[in-house]
Amino acid sequence: MSAPTRHIELDTWPRRNAFEYFWLLDNWLLDSPFFNITSPLDVGPLVVYCKANGQPFSLAAVYLALRVANEYEPFRLRIQDGHVVAFEEVQGSRTVLAGDEQLAFSYTDYDHRSPSSVSVLSRPNAPPRPIPARLTSE
C-alpha cells in the first residue's frame, strides 16, 4: 500500500458520525466487526468477453474491483494510529483455495499506470486485449 496522502479532519468530515459508531463497535462492543453488503450485478457481458478472448473471469473481476476501489476515495480510506487517512492507492487481497485444499490469502498489487486491460492479470503468454469501453464506462 502506498503512503497516506492526507489525514481526514474528523471535525469537518461528513462521515464522522458513522466513523465514530463503527469505531465504538470495534473498540468497545465487538472484536473486529465485519459488515458486508451485496448487490445484484450483471457480469454477463464481462463473462462473454472473457470467454471470447481466453481471459479468466476471476482475474478480470479482481482487476476491475481494484480499479473501482482505487478510483473511489471512500474505498481508499484506512485507520492508522486512530486517525482516518486517505491513501493514493490500495492493493487487494482475496481468499483462494491452495493446492493442499487449505484456504490461503492472495495479495494483488494494483498498478495505476497499467493499461485498462485484463491482460495485466492473465497468463504470461496471452496477448493483451483491452476491456471494451462499454464494459468499463458508466
Side-chain angles (χ1 to χ4, degrees):
M1 193 171 327
S2 63
T5 56
R6 65 186 169 86
H7 283 75
I8 304 297
E9 296 297 328
L10 289 181
D11 292 338
T12 58
W13 191 35
R15 294 181 172 204
R16 178 184 178 168
N17 288 341
F19 168 75
E20 289 176 343
Y21 172 77
F22 289 106
W23 182 259
L24 176 68
L25 284 178
D26 187 31
N27 289 286
W28 300 103
L29 302 177
L30 300 172
D31 185 24
S32 298
F34 293 95
F35 298 90
N36 297 298
I37 61 168
T38 59
S39 174
L41 179 64
D42 181 8
V43 296
L46 183 59
V47 170
V48 169
Y49 172 83
C50 289
K51 285 182 180 180
N53 291 285
Q55 300 289 336
F57 171 80
S58 60
L59 295 180
V62 168
Y63 173 79
L64 292 173
L66 281 174
R67 182 175 160 182
V68 167
N70 278 285
E71 290 178 359
Y72 185 58
E73 185 183 71
F75 288 156
R76 292 183 281 116
L77 299 179
R78 301 291 184 268
I79 299 172
Q80 281 191 335
D81 301 322
H83 299 281
V84 179
V85 294
F87 281 83
E88 184 176 323
E89 184 176 272
V90 294
Q91 310 308 319
S93 68
R94 61 195 186 282
T95 307
V96 296
L97 186 62
D100 62 358
E101 298 292 318
Q102 297 296 314
L103 294 177
F105 286 100
S106 172
Y107 295 93
T108 304
D109 289 335
Y110 177 77
D111 186 350
H112 68 282
R113 296 165 298 193
S114 292
S116 173
S117 69
V118 176
S119 64
V120 296
L121 294 174
S122 66
R123 296 184 272 308
N125 296 329
R129 294 188 174 119
I131 298 172
R134 64 184 168 76
L135 296 178
T136 60
S137 61
E138 295 182 16

